Amino acid sequence: NSLTGMYIIQSGQFKFVNRRMAEILGFENADELMGRYFWEVVHPDDREMVKKRGLQRETAQVSPSNYLYRALKKDGRIVWVETAGSPASYLGKPANIGNIFDITDRKVAEEALLDSEIRYRTLLDDIEEGYFENDLKGITTYVNSSYCRIVGYTQDELVGQSYRKLVQDE
């Protein structure tokens, strides 16, 4: 009844998956995943990394326990997941136990935010007026090219510096 997908992998194969794991991957039931190699449900571009980390954990080698990757649903659609796994013993043999979380909605929102940020920055770079942004400590975090032209400094010279660089003490 877990809200996260749970698995046990041994010798690269699923030995246990819960109902939620099957749902995340678009399978009717957990039995459809049993005996499959776990990398079969990993996007080809992420497969080598996920396979390497999973096998490292199973053999108690140092490997990140949490990371993101693209998984493949049964119908071929992509789902972003975050996994948290650790070495374990299952039926007296080394195994890998963990869970996955479907983070597809979060990844879609992050990509939309990044696209919006790019459009916003492009708009600011195209205006003639000088524009700058400072954080709450007065450190410059962004300047457009018009601002650089007005003050005579490059973006590299301004970003990360205090706004006081351009202001006389008095």
Side-chain angles (χ1 to χ4, degrees):
N1 291 323
S2 176
L3 298 176
T4 66
M6 299 176 73
Y7 61 82
I8 296 175
I9 297 170
Q10 194 171 58
S11 300
Q13 294 178 301
F14 288 114
K15 297 298 180 178
F16 168 82
V17 295
N18 69 347
R19 178 180 44 82
R20 181 66 183 132
M21 176 87 170
E23 289 172 2
I24 290 170
L25 296 174
F27 288 86
E28 294 293 320
N29 59 61
D31 291 338
E32 289 184 79
L33 285 166
M34 299 301 291
R36 288 180 185 248
Y37 287 99
F38 73 89
W39 52 81
E40 292 177 21
V41 295
V42 177
H43 189 279
D45 293 344
D46 297 336
R47 196 168 285 160
E48 184 177 325
M49 179 260 308
V50 172
K51 184 177 179 180
K52 179 180 175 184
R53 290 179 179 181
L55 294 176
Q56 284 174 330
R57 275 196 309 279
E58 189 173 316
T59 57
Q61 297 177 42
V62 176
S63 178
S65 58
N66 292 61
Y67 53 93
L68 312 178
Y69 65 92
R70 291 165 292 182
L72 297 174
K73 289 185 163 242
K74 183 179 179 181
D75 64 8
R77 288 183 297 144
I78 296 171
V79 59
W80 276 95
V81 297
E82 179 175 359
T83 190
S86 62
S89 178
Y90 180 67
L91 300 177
K93 296 179 185 174
N96 183 354
I97 187 169
N99 48 35
I100 66 169
F101 311 88
D102 182 347
I103 61 162
T104 305
D105 291 341
R106 182 178 91 193
K107 289 297 282 185
V108 168
E110 287 172 357
E111 289 174 11
L113 183 60
L114 181 60
D115 288 345
S116 176
E117 175 77 8
I118 290 169
R119 283 193 307 274
Y120 170 72
R121 295 292 180 200
T122 301
L123 177 65
L124 289 177
D125 279 337
D126 289 345
I127 64 173
E128 291 296 319
E129 291 80 18
Y131 179 86
F132 65 94
E133 293 176 1
N134 294 330
D135 65 15
L136 294 175
K137 294 178 183 174
I139 303 299
T140 303
T141 58
Y142 175 79
V143 293
N144 71 357
S145 54
S146 294
Y147 186 77
C148 292
R149 189 178 65 255
I150 292 166
V151 299
Y153 288 95
T154 66
Q155 283 184 330
D156 289 339
E157 292 171 316
L158 295 170
V159 173
Q161 301 295 318
S162 171
Y163 76 93
R164 290 180 181 89
K165 180 176 186 168
L166 299 175
V167 178
Q168 294 181 0
D169 289 339
E170 62 273 0

